[in-house]
Amino acid sequence: CGFAGGAERVLALMEAPAAHPPAPDAYVVHQGEAASRYAFDAAERMRERGAAVVLHCGGGGFKSQMKKADASGARYAIIIGDDELQANVVSVKPLRTEAPQLRVTLDAAIDQIRNIGDK
């Protein structure tokens, strides 16, 4: 019976700077069964157009989801609820600036996210 700890490897890992993944462009929050299905499709469409997107999958109300969106470091929260679904729009809330929240089509939201990401 033996044991090897690899002390040199552990020390090297301790000295290396911690790598943090880059913040996503957008964090999708949603509430309601139909809105959840649409949110999944919307997140995929955003990813297909080159945006880094996190889709909230843990349930909870908008308030708790928005806290997680802010903690993710995302520049925008994409909000999809029953009202947005009926109007065929999404709400785009900037999380890192004082800009106002807007209700726009999904394509307009994607363009807005991508334009900021290109700058």
Side-chain angles (χ1 to χ4, degrees):
C1 188
F3 178 83
E8 293 84 10
R9 181 173 287 246
V10 171
L11 289 173
L13 287 173
M14 289 174 57
E15 293 173 357
H20 296 286
D25 296 318
Y27 190 104
V28 180
V29 301
H30 52 88
Q31 191 162 19
E33 190 174 323
S36 295
R37 286 192 301 271
Y38 181 73
F40 181 82
D41 292 337
E44 284 301 307
R45 283 180 56 193
M46 287 186 261
R47 290 181 187 122
E48 287 170 359
R49 299 245 330 251
V53 178
V54 173
L55 173 65
H56 182 82
C57 294
F62 279 127
K63 185 175 181 179
S64 67
Q65 290 184 51
M66 290 300 292
K67 285 182 182 179
K68 290 183 180 181
D70 189 41
S72 76
R75 288 190 291 261
Y76 293 97
I78 306 298
I79 303 165
I80 302 172
D82 291 334
D83 292 343
E84 286 83 7
L85 193 58
Q86 288 178 348
N88 200 27
V89 297
V90 297
S91 292
V92 180
K93 178 171 181 55
L95 298 174
R96 306 288 164 239
T97 65
E98 296 296 321
Q101 178 174 318
L102 302 172
R103 287 177 60 142
V104 297
T105 65
L106 180 59
D107 288 333
I110 294 168
D111 289 341
Q112 181 177 359
I113 291 165
R114 288 185 65 229
N115 288 338
I116 295 297
D118 293 341
K119 292 181 182 178

